[in-house]
């Protein structure tokens, strides 16, 4: 085995995927170590899981940042190296022609939060950033500061559907409501769009006629816990 992959993790909630990765690192089934866990939401169970495993944690409270920008404005808070035109031209998250003000507010608030994340992460050496149930999208401001080597992806995400079907925040719900007979999950790299980056791995499961949405979520999560560590290991072996 080569060098141990240093993995940063970001979460927003329960952190069962994080736990699966912690367990795989501990068991030695993947050649990786988690160097930090950050969250955009304070007090979530995933932060406790990280702390129980002796992993450093931090919170960048996106909801507070967005609320403050709404009441007090955001221009004074923007990162010094923020260039709205550059970010707007690269991103594929929001249509700046349809509603320029909304798009600018979205990109500015996210960049303010992203700069705070980058500042927290700067304390750590990291090969790969793993989004484990992190429910925020990244603008090119953040992506370009992680993917610094041309052509080399360094941000991985897990999505609860078989992409390119059902992008967005409710993959299992959308799969279930469509009446699909097969569901699944996807690990992919992050690019400038939402759930559009190159696919690293996928796992599928059958949906029975008697399955409820909760059944679909439970089947999907069980697949995620196998898939995510396997994709991290694939990345470790590719270096
Ligand atoms: C997972 O279903 C993941 O695919 C989605 O959010 C959920 C996170 O679950 N993005 P957990 O926090 O890892 O338990």
């Amino acid at each position: 085995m080569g060098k141990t992959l240093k993995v940063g993790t970001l979460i927003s909630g329960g952190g069962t995927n994080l736990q699966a990765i912690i367990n795989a690192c501990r068991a030695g089934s993947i050649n990786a170590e988690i160097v930090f866990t950050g969250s955009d939401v304070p007090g979530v169970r995933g932060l406790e899981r990280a702390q129980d495993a002796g992993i450093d944690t931090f919170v960048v409270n996106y909801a507070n940042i967005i609320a403050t920008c709404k009441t007090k404005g955001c221009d004074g808070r923007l990162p010094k190296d923020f260039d709205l035109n550059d970010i707007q031209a690269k991103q594929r998250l929001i249509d700046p022609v349809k509603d320029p003000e909304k798009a600018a507010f979205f990109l500015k608030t996210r960049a303010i939060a992203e700069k705070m994340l980058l500042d927290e992460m700067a304390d750590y050496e990291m090969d790969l950033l793993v989004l484990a149930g992190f429910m925020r999208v990244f603008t090119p401001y953040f992506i370009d500061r992680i993917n610094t080597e041309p052509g080399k992806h360094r941000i991985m995400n897990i999505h609860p559907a078989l992409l390119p079907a059902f992008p967005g925040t409710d993959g299992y719900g959308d799969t279930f409501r469509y009446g699909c007979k097969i569901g699944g999950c996807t690990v992919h790299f992050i690019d400038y769009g939402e759930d559009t980056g190159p696919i690293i791995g996928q796992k599928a499961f059958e949906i029975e006629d008697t399955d409820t949405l909760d059944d679909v979520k439970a089947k999907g999560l069980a697949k995620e816990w196998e898939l995510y560590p396997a994709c991290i290991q694939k990345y470790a072996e590719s270096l």
Side-chain angles (χ1 to χ4, degrees):
M1 276 216 198
K3 135 182 185 310
T4 302
L5 190 76
K6 289 186 187 303
V7 175
T9 55
L10 294 177
I11 59 162
S12 298
T16 64
N17 277 288
L18 173 69
Q19 190 67 58
I21 299 164
I22 291 171
N23 295 349
C25 292
R26 271 201 195 131
S29 54
I30 65 175
N31 196 15
E33 76 171 297
I34 299 179
V35 292
F36 65 77
T37 298
S39 173
D40 65 316
V41 183
V44 293
R45 173 80 184 103
L47 286 169
E48 277 174 24
R49 292 179 191 274
Q51 283 152 9
D52 288 348
I55 298 166
D56 287 358
T57 61
F58 58 81
V59 175
V60 171
N61 191 325
Y62 269 58
N64 273 359
I65 294 162
I66 295 163
T68 306
C69 285
K70 260 187 196 147
T71 52
K72 299 190 177 149
C74 51
D75 285 353
R77 289 163 229 271
L78 285 169
K80 286 193 173 47
D81 53 358
F82 176 78
D83 178 343
L84 180 62
N85 292 332
D86 175 59
I87 306 292
Q88 204 152 256
K90 287 176 177 164
Q91 60 85 35
R92 284 184 277 109
L93 301 167
I94 190 162
D95 184 352
V97 177
K98 204 167 139 201
D99 190 340
E101 218 168 288
K102 187 175 167 198
F105 181 80
F106 175 84
L107 296 170
K108 286 177 181 178
T109 49
R110 283 359 175 238
I112 291 167
E114 289 169 356
K115 168 71 170 128
M116 292 168 80
L117 278 179
L118 289 164
D119 287 348
E120 294 282 359
M121 289 164 50
D123 293 342
Y124 302 91
E125 214 182 290
M126 179 191 81
D127 302 306
L128 175 70
L129 182 63
V130 163
L131 310 181
F134 184 67
M135 302 305 284
R136 301 281 179 179
V137 290
F138 283 126
T139 76
Y141 179 81
F142 183 86
I143 296 170
D144 289 353
R145 281 158 183 79
I146 302 292
N147 292 342
T148 47
E149 221 178 283
K152 187 171 170 197
H153 289 284
R154 292 212 304 151
I155 314 174
M156 230 182 237
N157 183 44
I158 190 151
H159 181 75
L162 290 171
L163 291 172
F166 307 123
T169 52
D170 191 15
Y172 293 135
D174 292 339
T175 302
F176 177 73
R177 285 185 291 273
Y178 196 89
C180 294
K181 303 303 173 202
I182 301 283
C185 51
T186 303
V187 171
H188 64 98
F189 288 118
I190 291 291
D191 68 1
Y192 294 151
E194 187 176 1
D195 303 324
T196 52
I199 291 174
I200 303 157
Q202 293 183 304
K203 270 190 185 283
F205 57 88
E206 287 194 21
I207 301 173
E208 309 296 337
D209 291 344
T210 51
D211 279 348
T212 63
L213 175 56
D214 282 345
D215 295 329
V216 169
K217 283 184 180 165
K219 285 183 181 180
L221 269 176
K223 293 291 179 196
E224 292 184 32
W225 303 332
E226 294 168 15
L227 180 65
Y228 222 164
C231 290
I232 294 169
Q233 179 61 13
K234 191 172 168 185
Y235 189 87
E237 286 168 9
S238 74
L239 293 184

